[in-house]
Amino acid sequence: MKAIQISGLREMQIVSVPEQELHAGEVLLRLAYVGFCGSDLSTYLGKNPMVKMPVIPGHEIGAVIEKVGADVPESLKPGMTVTCNPYTNCGKCASCRNSRVNACQHNETLGVQRNGAMREYIVLPWEKVIPAGHLSPRTCALIEPMSVGFHAVNRAQVTDIDVVMVIGCGMVGMGAIVRSALRGATVVAADIDDEKLALAKEMGASYTINTKTEDVHARLMEITSGFGPDVVIEAVGSPMTYQMAVDEVAFTGRVICIGYAKTEVSFQTKFFVQKELDIRGSRNAQPSDFRAVIHYLQRGTCPVDRLISNEVSPEEAPEAMQQWAENPGKVFRILVRFQ
């Protein structure tokens, strides 16, 4: 069957791979749409230290159940539209023991540590298949990245009395904006792109800050009456935005880190103590986060079309990835259409 493979630095190609056998407890999925995410771009650029090369990328999945194996619950039937939880969990590490399987020490994410979903068909354990109701497979491809943002809001324990600053208005940041707004928080979206900021406001942000052209500190003091935001969610992964998060969060605030910084980050650690900060990592998403995103998307209020920057065939994917690498700031999601 046809698959997309990243084989080296800026090398992407269409390859033929054997079909997988369907065993008991497994589900055969026919891929309809699969999204490229930031980790796939990092792999393409040779900047993903966790990837095992060569690799079939893809873990943002919109699919239809083609066939089910023995011992699969009757709730999963051929013809159902589904998405997938792309993470593994060992069941034995400290994270799994604490029921935080999203942060499993030995996790292998589809398209990173193991071959992913950029192919015509894939076989997965039934436990990783998530029914999506009446959502289209195209919309389903947006669920996983939004769920990462939803999970960060859970980690922040956001409530309706919080001011939440989300740094970075990509797909993950948009998920954090939506979830914070759904919880009744006042949301401040920060980015360097005015188009993304405009969309962030449409998706629930009360205020926006262009960190390239505005005085971030002055604007935050104005918005928060001098206190600073109660929560800052870092969804970029750069030294500058990590430092901004710690500098700008209110005393006794919570800083949630999603993005991976590619270089070391230097902090004024006095703020850790003086502000008595809670600094928390946020990794992947829990099954409940996937369900929450599906619930949100089923409302029909999400501007799905505006979150999809490009939709391409497998043959067009290498050129689309090259264009993304040349202008990364303007892309939300590139979807590859398999069916």
Side-chain angles (χ1 to χ4, degrees):
M1 63 177 168
K2 183 188 302 180
I4 297 171
Q5 183 186 73
I6 299 175
S7 54
L9 178 62
R10 293 180 179 265
E11 293 180 359
M12 179 179 287
Q13 58 191 339
I14 307 299
V15 297
S16 179
V17 297
E19 295 184 6
Q20 298 172 286
E21 293 185 11
L22 181 66
H23 300 110
E26 295 179 333
V27 177
L28 173 65
L29 301 181
R30 172 167 47 87
L31 279 307
Y33 290 88
V34 184
F36 278 125
C37 84
S39 64
D40 299 321
L41 179 60
S42 293
T43 298
Y44 179 75
L45 295 174
K47 297 179 180 179
N48 190 344
M50 296 181 289
V51 73
K52 295 180 180 179
M53 298 284 282
V55 68
I56 297 171
H59 55 257
E60 301 176 358
I61 295 169
V64 176
I65 296 178
E66 184 79 4
K67 189 176 181 181
V68 298
D71 303 324
V72 171
E74 292 184 2
S75 58
L76 296 176
K77 302 179 185 298
M80 292 179 65
T81 298
V82 298
T83 190
C84 301
N85 183 328
Y87 326 120
T88 64
N89 53 285
C90 69
K92 300 176 182 179
C93 70
S95 299
C96 292
R97 183 178 63 182
N98 292 328
S99 299
R100 289 165 64 176
V101 295
N102 58 292
C104 174
Q105 181 179 353
H106 306 292
N107 167 65
E108 293 186 347
T109 298
L110 284 173
V112 185
Q113 296 93 343
R114 58 187 172 130
N115 281 325
M118 287 282 178
R119 59 178 99 180
E120 294 177 285
Y121 294 90
I122 192 170
V123 172
L124 293 173
W126 72 262
E127 295 92 342
K128 299 298 183 181
V129 178
I130 305 171
H134 67 262
L135 295 180
S136 70
R138 182 172 178 263
T139 298
C140 285
L142 304 179
I143 293 172
E144 191 275 341
M146 291 193 76
S147 73
V148 176
F150 271 47
H151 182 66
V153 174
N154 278 341
R155 291 285 291 143
Q157 298 175 300
V158 170
T159 72
D160 58 340
I161 62 172
D162 288 321
V163 176
V164 180
M165 179 187 187
V166 178
I167 307 175
C169 295
M171 275 296 299
V172 172
M174 288 296 184
I177 289 167
V178 168
R179 187 59 161 165
S180 297
L182 288 173
R183 291 192 174 191
T186 300
V187 183
V188 182
D191 201 280
I192 61 173
D193 187 282
D194 286 330
E195 291 181 22
K196 288 184 176 180
L197 290 172
L199 184 54
K201 203 153 192 178
E202 186 176 332
M203 296 185 72
S206 299
Y207 303 93
T208 61
I209 302 175
N210 187 315
T211 59
K212 192 174 184 179
T213 61
E214 297 183 71
D215 185 325
V216 176
H217 180 73
R219 285 278 286 127
L220 286 173
M221 291 300 98
E222 175 189 348
I223 293 166
T224 65
S225 300
F227 290 103
D230 305 284
V231 174
V232 178
I233 297 176
E234 199 287 332
V236 176
S238 78
M240 182 183 73
T241 51
Y242 262 81
Q243 291 166 349
M244 181 188 297
V246 172
D247 290 348
E248 299 299 344
V249 72
F251 274 64
T252 67
R254 288 99 75 195
V255 175
I256 310 300
C257 306
I258 309 175
Y260 285 93
K262 305 301 186 295
T263 58
E264 292 184 359
V265 183
S266 298
F267 291 105
Q268 291 287 341
T269 55
K270 66 179 182 180
F271 289 146
F272 294 14
V273 178
Q274 286 180 348
K275 292 185 177 183
E276 199 175 58
L277 298 181
D278 289 335
I279 300 178
R280 306 174 186 176
S282 182
R283 183 183 180 193
N284 299 332
Q286 290 270 24
S288 59
D289 300 309
F290 283 84
R291 293 197 301 271
V293 173
I294 291 170
H295 180 69
Y296 161 67
L297 290 173
Q298 286 176 337
R299 296 181 175 191
T301 58
C302 179
V304 169
D305 289 341
R306 294 184 62 192
L307 295 174
I308 298 171
S309 305
N310 198 4
E311 186 179 311
V312 300
S313 68
E315 289 75 17
E316 295 168 328
E319 182 180 354
M321 181 61 81
Q322 181 181 344
Q323 291 174 352
W324 188 17
E326 293 170 355
N327 191 13
K330 289 294 183 181
V331 172
F332 277 107
R333 273 302 174 270
I334 298 171
L335 299 189
V336 179
R337 181 183 62 253
F338 282 89
Q339 302 288 341

